[in-house]
């Protein structure tokens, strides 16, 4: 072929270097990489006969199936009420009767969270509302139950990109992709929980406030009040409490107390109250115990005591941060140290009354603001009597933003060997551990076979050496690419190649499916001393309340549990080691084994109605490991 002439070459060069085209490229890269990180293995996607993505992992833990079940029951109440009124949320006409019917349809099932038919007032309603809308649109499933967190995370990452591009151009793509690829964001974006419902709007609101602080335009304050209201509807008063404390600390350290007064903007306050008060007032009127249960028990008492059995050491959140920021831990910690040094230098400038030329304020406040925002949630929850990893999720975004900005500022320099080596070591260690996960799940040994360790170590070493060589040879600007590559590859390895292992070991979904195959005509299921996560998981996948053989004392159980042996024919799920107790527990009942679920050490029995002699002659079939 004839090579293009010089004019065409110059035109193509101008096109490649044009700002608009560069922005388009960045958005495409951001969308594709973020979609892979947040949605691969979560949202089912098929093109023809090719499965691009499948829902590889069912709901895990006790919280995911419990929150999803609340949303399902609220949606059922909503649907039943709308059907009874013969209307929808969109009125048939502007007549008062139709408007009133549509209003009652809209609010039906949306006020009081319900779990197994009774009010469940542990959390506000934002997650449930969003899950209800996704259930209505895509059907009730485990993946649609996780969409509220996934979409909230996606919105946060996009707005980090846009905010940084507007106010700190250069490191905007790094900041967004680092946020999307750290373990904490990847994990919580895939959870059917309230943690990301708080962290995402909280972080967006804080960025909006700083945009107002830097520009003085009241428009940006809408972000603070609107997203602050959303965060309050996600988890309650902790959102405005953290916002107020962070802004007060920032104003005090910068000696700019007037920004506190100027932040109190009446249209914004009205917007916040209009968003928050209607639900809190309505749920209190319908449930007189709401104030005591939600504010006193699940907020104040949860913080001051270990009532819910989540006590951890004072160093707990340091470990959570180190793990949650992987694979960017080394760079993030270095960026935090650098930003603290900058903040201290700025404080000294202000203390000496020296101001930068052309700026009405002393120095650059952005690093100082992000440092305060990052440190406060970690310190605050360190002194909590109840500690869970998701509590400090609002601290992740400011750290990853600082990391992206820091990498851009040092891009023209070569990374120091200890930084590059430390970063490569973290990435290779993460790769090594994740490559061994399937072997551990299959053989349940902390030390796998030597051959497996060798190949995992080899791939981890190759990954670390490649990062060092590429960044050392071609510069810091390639650090993002060579770090994201193994992260994306590990996600494919865990979810596409070994997703069935995760599902079998940590979710109740495969067990529920097997029970439905073995005993499709038996609706009732009871459990005996199984783990809480499997208990709630089976209840969600079979859409039935918890039913235990006996009452089990637990400070963490706050729901209506049926504690009796069913008289009708039913399925019993129990631990394998508890099988010898059946002759005593079910004396006079016929029970026959269905199968053993070895992945989680469980046995499944069919228990007949009536009072006949127990049958122990049969042995259950084994649900073999693949």
């Amino acid at each position: 072929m004839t090579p293009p002439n010089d004019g065409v070459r110059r035109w193509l060069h101008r096109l490649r270097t044009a700002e608009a085209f560069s922005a388009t490229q960045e958005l495409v890269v951001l969308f594709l990489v973020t979609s892979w990180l947040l949605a691969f293995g979560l949202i089912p996607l098929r093109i023809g006969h090719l499965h691009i993505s499948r829902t590889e992992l069912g709901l895990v833990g006790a919280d995911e199936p419990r929150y999803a079940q609340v949303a399902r029951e609220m949606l059922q109440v909503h649907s039943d009420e709308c059907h009874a009124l013969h209307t929808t949320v969109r009125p048939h006409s502007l007549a008062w009767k139709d408007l009133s019917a549509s209003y009652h349809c809209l609010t039906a099932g949306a006020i009081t969270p319900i779990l197994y038919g009774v009010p469940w007032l542990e959390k506000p309603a934002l997650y449930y509302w969003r899950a209800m809308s996704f259930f209505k649109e895509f059907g009730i499933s485990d993946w649609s139950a996780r969409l509220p967190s996934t979409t909230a995370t996606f919105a946060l990452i996009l707005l980090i990109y846009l905010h940084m591009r507007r106010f700190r151009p250069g490191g905007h793509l790094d900041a967004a992709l680092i946020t999307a690829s750290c373990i904490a964001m990847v994990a919580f974006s895939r959870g059917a929980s309230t943690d990301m419902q708080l962290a995402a709007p909280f972080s967006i609101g804080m960025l909006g406030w700083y945009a107002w602080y830097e520009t003085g335009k009241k428009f940006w304050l809408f972000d603070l009040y609107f997203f602050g209201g959303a965060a309050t509807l996600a988890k309650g008063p902790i959102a405005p409490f953290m916002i107020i404390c962070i802004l007060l600390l920032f104003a005090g350290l910068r000696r700019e107390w007037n920004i506190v007064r100027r932040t109190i903007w009446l249209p914004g306050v009205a917007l916040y109250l209009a968003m928050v008060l209607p639900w809190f007032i309505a749920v209190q009127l319908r449930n007189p115990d709401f104030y005591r249960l939600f504010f006193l028990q699940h907020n104040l008492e949860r913080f001051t005591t270990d009532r819910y059995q989540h006590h951890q050491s004072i160093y707990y959140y340091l470990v959570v941060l180190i793990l949650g920021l992987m694979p960017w831990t080394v760079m993030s910690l270095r960026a935090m140290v650098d930003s603290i040094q900058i903040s201290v230098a700025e404080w000294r400038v202000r203390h000496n009354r020296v101001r930068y030329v052309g700026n009405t304020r002393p120095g650059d406040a952005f690093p100082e603001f992000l440092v305060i925002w990052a440190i406060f949630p970690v310190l605050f929850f360190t002194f909590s009597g109840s500690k869970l990893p998701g509590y400090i999720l609002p601290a992740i975004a400011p750290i990853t933003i600082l990391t992206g900005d820091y990498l851009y500022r040092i891009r023209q320099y070569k990374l120091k060997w200890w930084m590059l080596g430390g970063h490569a070591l973290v990435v290779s260690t993460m790769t090594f551990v994740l490559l061994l996960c399937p072997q551990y799940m299959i053989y349940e040994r902390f030390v796998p076979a030597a051959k497996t360790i060798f190949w995992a170590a080899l791939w981890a070493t190759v990954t670390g050496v490649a990062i060092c060589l590429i960044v050392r040879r071609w510069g810091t600007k390639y650090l993002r690419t060579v770090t994201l590559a193994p992260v994306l590859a590990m996600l494919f390895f865990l979810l596409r190649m070994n997703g069935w292992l995760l599902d079998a070991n940590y979710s109740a979904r495969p067990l529920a499916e097997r029970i439905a195959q073995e005993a499709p005509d038996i609706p009732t299921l009871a459990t005996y001393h199984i783990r809480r996560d499997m208990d709630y998981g089976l209840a969600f996948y079979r859409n039935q309340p918890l039913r235990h053989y006996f009452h089990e004392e637990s400070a963490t159980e706050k729901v209506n549990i049926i504690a009796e042996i069913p008289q009708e024919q039913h399925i019993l799920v129990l631990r394998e080691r508890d099988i010898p107790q059946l002759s005593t527990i079910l004396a006079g009942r016929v029970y026959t084994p269905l199968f053993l679920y070895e992945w989680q050490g469980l046995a499944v029995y069919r228990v007949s109605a009536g009072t006949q002699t127990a049958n122990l002659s049969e042995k259950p079939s084994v649900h073999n490991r693949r």
Side-chain angles (χ1 to χ4, degrees), residues 137-191:
E137 185 69 26
F138 302 109
I140 297 173
S141 65
D142 36 31
W143 69 269
S144 56
R146 288 166 168 159
L147 283 180
S149 295
T150 305
T151 52
T153 311
F154 201 100
L156 171 61
I157 291 164
L158 177 62
L159 287 171
I160 286 175
Y161 169 83
L162 295 175
H163 176 93
M164 292 292 287
R165 190 169 184 268
R166 165 69 173 80
F167 294 100
R168 291 296 185 278
H172 49 284
L173 186 59
D174 278 349
L177 290 177
I178 289 172
T179 305
S181 59
C182 67
I183 284 180
M185 287 293 177
V186 173
F188 281 97
S189 70
R190 295 166 175 268

Side-chain angles (χ1 to χ4, degrees), residues 25 146 165 220 230 292 331 474:
Q25 280 183 318
R146 288 166 168 159
R165 190 169 184 268
W220 294 106
R292 177 181 62 83
M331 295 302 164
W474 284 288

Side-chain angles (χ1 to χ4, degrees), residues 549 572 579-593 605-619:
Y549 263 26
L572 171 63
I579 292 177
Q581 301 180 34
L582 288 180
S583 58
T584 302
I585 297 171
L586 293 174
R589 299 287 292 270
V590 174
Y591 54 93
T592 56
Y605 278 75
R606 181 201 303 264
V607 181
S608 300
T611 55
Q612 301 178 33
T613 305
N615 180 2
L616 299 177
S617 61
E618 299 182 50
K619 292 185 179 180

Side-chain angles (χ1 to χ4, degrees), residues 2 128 394 423 532 541:
T2 305
Y128 310 130
H423 178 74
R532 293 173 67 242
Y541 285 109

Side-chain angles (χ1 to χ4, degrees), residues 435-445 448-449 452 498 501:
L435 286 173
L436 292 180
C437 280
Q439 291 294 311
Y440 171 76
M441 288 185 285
I442 293 175
Y443 300 109
E444 296 183 352
R445 295 189 304 179
T452 302
N498 295 283
L501 274 172

